[in-house]
Amino acid sequence: MSAFNPRQAAERFAPWLALVALLLLWEGACRLFELPDFVLPSPSAIAQAAWQLGIGVWSEHIWATLRVTLLGYALSILIGIPLAIVLTSSKLLSRTLYPLLVIVQSTPIVAVAPIIVVVMGAGDLPRVFITFLIAFFPIVVSCVTGLLATPEELIELSRSLGASRTREYRNIRLPYAIPHLFAALRISITLAVIGAVVAEFVAAEKGLGYFINFATSMFQVPQAFAALLLLVVISLTLFHLVGLTQKLLFPWSLPKAQH
């Protein structure tokens, strides 16, 4: 039985203790200065507002946001990884397509979102596409970086042994790109949540982004804060699920300290 280590215990519980301290400080400041709820609601007011709406209402909005998030994220993976392979396999295509990708990424999605909704119509399609536009770029860039990070001597050896381009990517380049890819996947899943919320601000009838927009317009700020906290929980949960996937399927790609 290992001895109790105060330092390890402090490192383990420090984030939770800091969170509790922040909530207590927040609650105390709201009560001390008697801040109205439409300016800054207290944690207790947020919890009460969330409870009053009920699990049925929240589940509808959560599922609407989560569905768009996961569909847009899946689309970014399905398009981003093959696009990265194409960019690394041809210098001509890389020089042609990469500037276009940078232009797309540099365009403010908030400004383009209404146009996308008008062009694509109502429904999930424009929201999924907006989510995809926000989430796919880190996947492409990181995957390209990982594919190009493969040692050149391994590539030359595989070619001298007569390996095809398909086997070169499948057996050599893609394994080297896995750490870079999962670093991007963790970033992109949080961006996908942001993309879903941006899309719901523009055109939606359900979803946490839509609910925040509606609640603030009605000065129901505690309810808007409750929806915002749910978005944070969803984003953190998905972030850790991506990390868990890497740990289960590709443990060799993690640094030794994370095994």
Side-chain angles (χ1 to χ4, degrees), residues 163 166-176:
T166 302
R167 293 191 64 182
E168 175 187 317
Y169 273 87
R170 185 180 67 244
N171 297 335
I172 301 177
R173 289 191 182 272
L174 283 175
Y176 268 91

Side-chain angles (χ1 to χ4, degrees), residues 27 31 41-50:
E27 182 76 28
R31 291 178 182 271
S42 64
S44 59
I46 295 172
Q48 183 178 4

Side-chain angles (χ1 to χ4, degrees), residues 176-189:
Y176 268 91
I178 289 294
H180 298 82
L181 177 59
F182 270 93
L185 291 176
R186 286 194 292 271
I187 296 172
S188 291
I189 191 62

Side-chain angles (χ1 to χ4, degrees), residues 101-116:
L101 297 177
V102 174
I103 292 173
V104 171
Q105 183 65 20
S106 302
T107 305
I109 298 298
V110 177
V112 180
I115 301 174
I116 295 174

Side-chain angles (χ1 to χ4, degrees), residues 63-82:
W63 171 241
T65 299
L66 191 61
R67 183 180 67 250
V68 172
T69 298
L70 295 179
L71 287 174
Y73 182 63
L75 186 63
S76 68
I77 295 173
L78 292 175
I79 294 180
I81 295 177

